[in-house]
Amino acid sequence: FLSLVAEFCCGFFVILILGNFWFLAVLYLLWLYLDWETPCTGGRRSQWVRSWTVWKYFREYFPINLIKTSDLNPNHNYLLGFHPHGVLVAGAFGNFCTGPSFKNLFPGLTPYLHIMPIWFGCPFFREYVMSAGMVSASKESVSYVLNKEGGGHASVIVIGGAEESLNAHPGSLTLNILKRKGFIKMALKHGAHLVPVFSFGENELFKQVANPKGSWLRNVQEKLQKIMGFALPLFHARGIFQYSFGLIPYRQPIHTVVGSPIPVKRNLNPTTEEIEELHALYLQKLRKLFEEHKRNYGIPEHKSLIFE
């Protein structure tokens, strides 16, 4: 979805250069140079864009719901770990970038959805994603949000990243998290409370071509992901007037459950042991969150999360 919009924006920029509006392209490049650091300094959100009626239809299509399990004190800053990535990351976008749900459930908190820095190099597209409340996933960007005085700010990070999208098959419960500990270190350095978030239904929106680990397709996808910075899952779903094939996601409900916060004391120089200890506690709380709610959202009793 992001790729399609980005391609359209880049195409429009090329038209400006090749057409009679090249001077507009030059002016925009100057603006891009002057505004380059904005995605790392809190972005530039627009409540008007975040409230577009189209997002209401987007959320109702699946539908997308946000579930609160505990209060989040707005006097603190938080790092929300979102799982799983899925193909579309629809739960993260629908709940943290559009609509009033988060604000109503967690008054006093401002969410920032962190995405790959590569998207902010795309002309015009960067303005669109920033207006929706998205910022860079760079260390500088996360630090900027979590270092804000007075609390009331929440970094939302899709922990599994692009790599995890290759596991986004219906019924899959595999999370890429065992080696991902950078977010733990960031939480410790800034004293940001950790909050596990699990989005039930995220992997049910598309069917992906079989790509088990070790297969030639998976090997190619992983190599491309390392080169380009983002993964290329081969997926399909339904069409506009038929349900057998197309790129429109299936109409499956998404329930994004926000867990209880894990208190974190500020530690500017955490040791490896301290990072490992907090990482283990986070995994424990994430698994507990999943187990407590899986029955409500159609997950069989015998199924559990797989960490790799």
Side-chain angles (χ1 to χ4, degrees), residues 4-301:
L4 292 174
V5 179
E7 287 175 8
F8 173 81
C9 291
C10 288
F12 179 69
F13 185 71
V14 170
I15 291 173
L16 288 181
I17 294 176
L18 299 179
N20 295 325
F21 303 98
W22 58 267
F23 61 95
L24 293 178
V26 172
L27 288 175
Y28 182 79
L29 287 175
L30 177 61
W31 162 257
L32 193 63
Y33 173 77
L34 297 173
D35 194 57
W36 190 255
E37 296 299 322
T38 301
C40 295
T41 54
R44 186 172 47 250
R45 66 181 58 216
S46 165
Q47 190 55 42
W48 175 67
V49 173
R50 289 166 61 87
S51 302
W52 280 352
T53 303
V54 66
W55 304 136
K56 175 177 179 289
Y57 294 131
F58 172 79
R59 294 190 304 273
E60 292 178 350
Y61 171 78
F62 298 97
I64 296 174
N65 300 289
L66 187 66
I67 293 89
K68 171 183 175 180
T69 64
S70 176
D71 290 331
L72 298 182
N73 189 334
N75 294 324
H76 299 294
N77 289 329
Y78 297 88
L79 195 159
L80 278 61
F82 183 91
H83 312 269
H85 184 287
V87 171
L88 191 61
V89 204
F93 180 76
N95 286 310
F96 303 118
C97 293
T98 73
S101 295
F102 187 86
K103 183 179 180 180
N104 292 340
L105 292 176
F106 303 102
L109 279 184
T110 301
Y112 298 80
L113 179 60
H114 295 267
I115 63 174
M116 291 185 298
I118 189 175
W119 296 118
F120 296 98
C122 179
F124 300 114
F125 179 72
R126 68 189 298 275
E127 320 304 334
Y128 159 69
V129 293
M130 278 197 290
S131 65
M134 288 179 259
V135 293
S136 173
S138 66
K139 291 180 181 179
E140 296 78 12
S141 178
V142 177
S143 292
Y144 183 88
V145 174
L146 298 182
N147 206 35
K148 283 180 173 287
E149 296 288 339
H153 301 276
S155 281
V156 183
I157 302 177
V158 184
I159 304 299
E163 181 183 358
E164 193 173 85
S165 67
L166 300 178
N167 291 327
H169 297 270
S172 174
L173 296 172
T174 300
L175 303 180
N176 293 61
I177 192 172
L178 292 182
K179 296 181 180 179
R180 296 180 180 264
K181 300 171 185 176
F183 73 104
I184 297 292
K185 188 175 181 179
M186 293 298 289
L188 281 166
K189 289 183 69 174
H190 297 284
H193 295 196
L194 280 168
V195 182
V197 179
F198 195 87
S199 195
F200 291 89
E202 199 74 46
N203 284 339
E204 316 305 314
L205 307 185
F206 297 93
K207 291 180 180 178
Q208 190 173 168
V209 175
N211 60 342
K213 288 200 170 183
S215 65
W216 69 268
L217 176 57
R218 185 60 168 258
N219 290 336
V220 170
Q221 288 175 320
E222 290 176 346
K223 288 180 180 178
L224 289 175
Q225 191 261 325
K226 290 179 181 179
I227 294 172
M228 299 184 298
F230 56 90
L232 291 173
L234 299 179
F235 59 89
H236 68 88
R238 53 162 292 186
I240 298 177
F241 301 111
Q242 43 78 31
Y243 291 83
S244 57
F245 190 82
L247 294 179
I248 297 176
Y250 292 115
R251 198 169 189 177
Q252 297 289 339
I254 298 171
H255 297 91
T256 303
V257 184
V258 180
S260 301
I262 303 170
V264 178
K265 291 184 179 180
R266 190 172 188 179
N267 184 347
L268 294 177
N269 296 293
T271 65
T272 301
E273 292 73 20
E274 289 169 330
I275 294 173
E276 292 286 349
E277 182 181 353
L278 184 55
H279 187 261
L281 177 60
Y282 179 85
L283 294 183
Q284 177 186 331
K285 295 294 185 180
L286 175 60
R287 188 181 294 279
K288 180 181 178 183
L289 177 70
F290 174 82
E291 292 296 331
E292 288 179 347
H293 294 272
K294 67 180 184 181
R295 300 172 193 82
N296 298 332
Y297 307 116
I299 307 295
E301 184 66 33

